[in-house]
Amino acid sequence: MAVGDDREIGSEDDDLIRLVPPPSPSPLSSQRTSWLVPLIVVTNVILFSIAMFINNCPKHSESHAPNHHCVANFLGRLSFEPLRNNPLFGPSSNTLEKLGSLEWCRVVEKREAWRLLTSMWLHAGVIHLVTNMISLVFIGIRLEQQFGFVRIGVIYLVSGVGGSVVSSLFIRNGVSVGASGCLFGLLGSMVSEILTNWTIYSNKIAALLTLLFVIVINLVFGILPHVDNMAHLGGFLVGFLLGFVLLARPQFKWLAREHMQPQGRRLTSKYKPYQYILWLLSLALLITGFVMALVMLFRGEDGNDHCHWCRYLRCIPTSRWSCEDV
């Protein structure tokens, strides 16, 4: 989610309002124990608690406007900022900035590139944190059980960085935090996983259409003000390409013959030709895209100069809100 220049926390990030688990694995694939996703959830909760402890709303409550008191004062220094400043029940934007939120001037002008990674571990409030973590549990556990913690961990982290890079390219005002790019990366990998393993699913068309419907709905909600839709799109594209690289399943014949056929007899290819082609194309596009985006970002280029219509992917102005500062 993004925060405007007024230093107030924006509206909630509408992450994955309807959740779709990945398709069931093939009969020959094994189910692994999921521990990485729960660990990520616990880590995010701990980091949010640390952010609230550092924020210490009561200490600077005297700087608040009249009748703008800390929320849940019984929590002491863990109490939330006034709802007028942060309606998501969380810390101030100054605290988030101090802890590593995403901000163009700090990333580019001050060369604080580490914010591309740290911003995905921060959340603007309890509502933001809970919606993201529920989404992660519903999506991530099934994926980790099917493909293991290494591959899902790589998709989660690289997609998060990709979302941060795209967000920084197109949004120069405000502060952005959250795991939205990571979550959309997992969604993107689910789409490419269905496509690259197309022949092994019996309900593939229904699963793909349902998944695409969920993604489109969430991207549409992303055009609301103060929702970082560019991070969503960047994370989704990175996850989509990584899915072709990391989530291809071996052929049934290869799996069946691996333990059955006599020694010395040549096995069929582990993957189908189209899977190898998708692997190569996706890896090439991923590396090229990352290099070009990073070069543009640290040269200080504005992505909007190269894509004038992309501003409508971030926010569509209406009679109810303006997109001038988005």
Side-chain angles (χ1 to χ4, degrees):
M1 65 83 66
V3 184
D5 274 341
D6 55 2
R7 318 311 294 174
E8 294 182 3
I9 307 298
S11 58
E12 177 184 351
D13 201 353
D14 297 272
D15 291 323
L16 319 181
I17 58 173
R18 290 183 180 271
L19 303 170
V20 177
S24 299
S26 64
L28 294 175
S29 60
S30 59
Q31 291 285 314
R32 303 170 177 84
T33 300
S34 173
W35 62 267
L36 178 63
V37 169
L39 179 62
I40 292 174
V41 172
V42 171
T43 301
N44 276 281
V45 171
I46 292 174
L47 291 175
F48 179 75
S49 301
I50 293 174
M52 293 306 306
F53 185 83
I54 294 174
N55 185 68
N56 193 6
C57 180
K59 182 177 180 180
H60 57 267
S61 59
E62 62 277 0
S63 63
H64 295 148
N67 300 322
H68 291 180
H69 304 296
C70 299
V71 179
N73 276 313
F74 62 90
L75 294 175
R77 66 183 296 158
L78 297 179
S79 57
F80 309 117
E81 287 292 304
L83 294 182
R84 191 177 187 89
N85 296 340
N86 187 346
L88 302 182
F89 299 96
S92 67
S93 57
N94 289 330
T95 298
L96 293 174
E97 185 178 340
K98 183 192 305 181
L99 294 178
S101 61
L102 190 64
E103 189 175 8
W104 181 87
C105 65
R106 288 184 173 271
V107 172
V108 177
E109 295 179 352
K110 297 186 178 181
R111 294 293 191 247
E112 296 178 359
W114 48 270
R115 291 178 179 270
L116 297 172
L117 180 64
T118 56
S119 59
M120 73 179 72
W121 299 98
L122 299 172
H123 287 84
V126 172
I127 298 176
H128 189 207
L129 175 69
V130 170
T131 54
N132 271 346
M133 294 304 101
I134 290 176
S135 301
L136 175 60
V137 168
F138 273 87
I139 297 171
I141 286 181
R142 282 285 298 275
L143 281 172
E144 186 182 352
Q145 287 174 342
Q146 292 182 32
F147 297 101
F149 72 93
V150 174
R151 285 183 280 184
I152 300 308
V154 169
I155 293 173
Y156 184 88
L157 291 175
V158 178
S159 297
V161 174
S164 296
V165 171
V166 174
S167 175
S168 298
L169 270 175
F170 287 91
I171 301 177
R172 295 200 171 194
N173 300 321
V175 175
S176 181
V177 293
S180 305
C182 309
L183 295 173
F184 270 82
L186 293 179
L187 275 179
S189 71
M190 288 169 61
V191 174
S192 53
E193 192 271 326
I194 293 176
L195 295 175
T196 193
N197 302 313
W198 186 256
T199 58
I200 73 172
Y201 292 120
S202 57
N203 61 340
K204 49 201 170 192
I205 295 179
L208 181 61
L209 291 178
T210 304
L211 184 57
L212 290 175
F213 175 77
V214 172
I215 293 168
V216 170
I217 290 297
N218 281 277
L219 290 176
V220 169
F221 273 91
I223 64 177
L224 294 171
H226 304 302
V227 178
D228 192 352
N229 215 24
M230 302 313 293
H232 297 177
L233 289 166
F236 176 82
L237 290 174
V238 172
F240 180 71
L241 294 175
L242 279 174
F244 290 117
V245 176
L246 298 176
L247 303 186
R249 298 181 190 271
Q251 298 184 66
F252 277 153
K253 289 182 180 180
W254 188 90
L255 289 172
R257 295 181 183 181
E258 187 178 15
H259 302 291
M260 294 171 55
Q261 75 176 8
Q263 290 185 350
R265 185 176 177 182
R266 187 176 180 181
L267 297 173
T268 59
S269 175
K270 184 174 182 178
Y271 298 103
K272 295 189 175 183
Y274 78 88
Q275 289 177 307
Y276 286 110
I277 294 172
L278 289 172
W279 187 92
L280 289 171
L281 287 176
S282 299
L283 185 62
L285 287 173
L286 186 66
I287 295 174
T288 303
F290 251 110
V291 171
M292 291 179 60
L294 287 171
V295 169
M296 290 174 60
L297 176 62
F298 288 104
R299 280 182 176 176
E301 296 185 32
D302 189 342
N304 297 286
D305 295 336
H306 302 276
C307 180
H308 298 289
W309 56 268
C310 285
R311 64 182 183 274
Y312 296 115
L313 298 175
R314 306 197 310 272
C315 178
I316 295 180
T318 70
S319 59
R320 293 181 175 272
W321 62 70
S322 171
C323 298
E324 293 181 0
D325 296 327
V326 178

